[in-house]
């Protein structure tokens, strides 16, 4: 974490165990109340509070729809680092499941963390992944020098390769000269 944030020192398993019943009890709240609570947790200095907010949003993701995506993105832009951004990408991916074109604005965003969310939001979708969208996003950002974008390209391709290894292999071999070496290595890891 490179000393980016203060921590309480609570390990993830202990944090999740301690918060599970409390977060389940929040299931009666609507999306706006959950977002307001996440916003309050995000304001607290220690990183574990952002993790609890993400645990809560992930547990209750079915309460959200595309209208809530801007607020989720706004949270991701505050105190941004790979840990919270990647967790938010998963939540946004759950909300957007099968709404493939919603991230077109995000892939062009000035904030590279938002572009990272656009790259990663289809992780785990397997046969539901919009292959053309994923590969198009990877090519669109292939020129970027930002480590976290290069890594995300490789990760997204590696994840999709579990479903379509031949398609990913063909893509990375065809576009090897365009992809950063990091992206290429990450995509190729399990092929």
């Amino acid at each position: 974490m490179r000393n980016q944030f203060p921590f309480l020192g609570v390990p993830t398993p202990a944090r999740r165990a301690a918060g599970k019943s409390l977060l389940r009890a929040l299931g009666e709240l609507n999306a706006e109340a959950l977002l307001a609570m996440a916003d309050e947790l995000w304001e607290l200095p220690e990183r574990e509070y952002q993790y609890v907010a993400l645990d809560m949003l992930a547990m209750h993701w079915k309460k959200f729809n595309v209208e809530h995506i801007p607020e989720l993105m706004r949270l991701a832009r505050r105190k941004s680092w790979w840990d919270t951004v990647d967790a938010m990408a998963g939540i946004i991916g759950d909300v957007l499941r099968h709404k493939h074109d919603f991230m077109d604005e995000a892939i062009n965003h000035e904030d590279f963390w938002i572009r990272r969310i656009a790259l990663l939001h289809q992780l785990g979708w397997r046969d539901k992944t919009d292959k053309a969208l994923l590969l198009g996003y990877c090519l669109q950002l292939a020129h970027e020098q930002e480590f976290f974008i290069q890594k995300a390209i490789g990760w997204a391709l590696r994840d999709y390769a579990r479903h379509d290894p031949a398609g990913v292999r063909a893509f990375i071999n065809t576009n090897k000269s365009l992809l950063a070496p990091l992206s290429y290595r990450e995509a190729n890891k399990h092929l």
Side-chain angles (χ1 to χ4, degrees), residues 42 47 54 57 69-81 84-89 92 111 113-114 117:
W42 223 268
R47 198 61 165 171
L54 290 161
L57 296 171
I69 299 299
E71 181 62 21
L72 294 170
M73 293 283 203
R74 189 181 70 73
L75 279 174
R77 291 189 71 195
R78 291 169 43 213
K79 300 181 184 177
S80 302
W81 197 242
T84 53
V85 168
D86 292 0
M88 191 63 79
I92 289 171
D111 187 335
W113 292 114
I114 299 301
I117 289 172

Side-chain angles (χ1 to χ4, degrees), residues 144-185:
E144 291 205 23
Q145 298 299 309
E146 173 57 53
F147 168 84
F148 288 107
I149 293 297
Q150 292 178 2
K151 186 87 168 173
I153 289 169
W155 183 15
L157 292 169
R158 185 177 70 234
D159 180 73
Y160 185 60
R162 291 184 180 125
H163 172 71
D164 183 6
V168 171
R169 187 177 290 112
F171 174 79
I172 62 174
N173 288 336
T174 300
N175 297 291
K176 184 175 182 178
S177 65
L178 300 174
L179 295 170
L182 174 61
S183 300
Y184 182 83
R185 269 194 320 276

Side-chain angles (χ1 to χ4, degrees), residues 107-153:
I107 200 69
N108 294 306
H109 200 278
E110 64 187 27
D111 187 335
F112 75 86
W113 292 114
I114 299 301
R115 295 193 304 276
R116 183 174 167 97
I117 289 172
L119 283 167
L120 298 179
H121 81 280
Q122 293 188 85
L123 287 179
W125 286 20
R126 301 214 180 260
D127 64 329
K128 304 292 189 230
T129 299
D130 184 326
K131 180 179 177 179
L133 185 76
L134 172 64
L135 300 182
Y137 283 0
C138 289
L139 282 178
Q140 186 175 339
L141 300 184
H143 70 282
E144 291 205 23
Q145 298 299 309
E146 173 57 53
F147 168 84
F148 288 107
I149 293 297
Q150 292 178 2
K151 186 87 168 173
I153 289 169

Side-chain angles (χ1 to χ4, degrees), residues 91-111:
I91 295 164
I92 289 171
D94 286 339
V95 174
L96 291 180
R97 191 148 306 235
H98 318 308
K99 294 175 181 72
H100 299 296
D101 61 350
F102 194 82
M103 297 304 280
D104 287 347
E105 188 176 319
I107 200 69
N108 294 306
H109 200 278
E110 64 187 27
D111 187 335

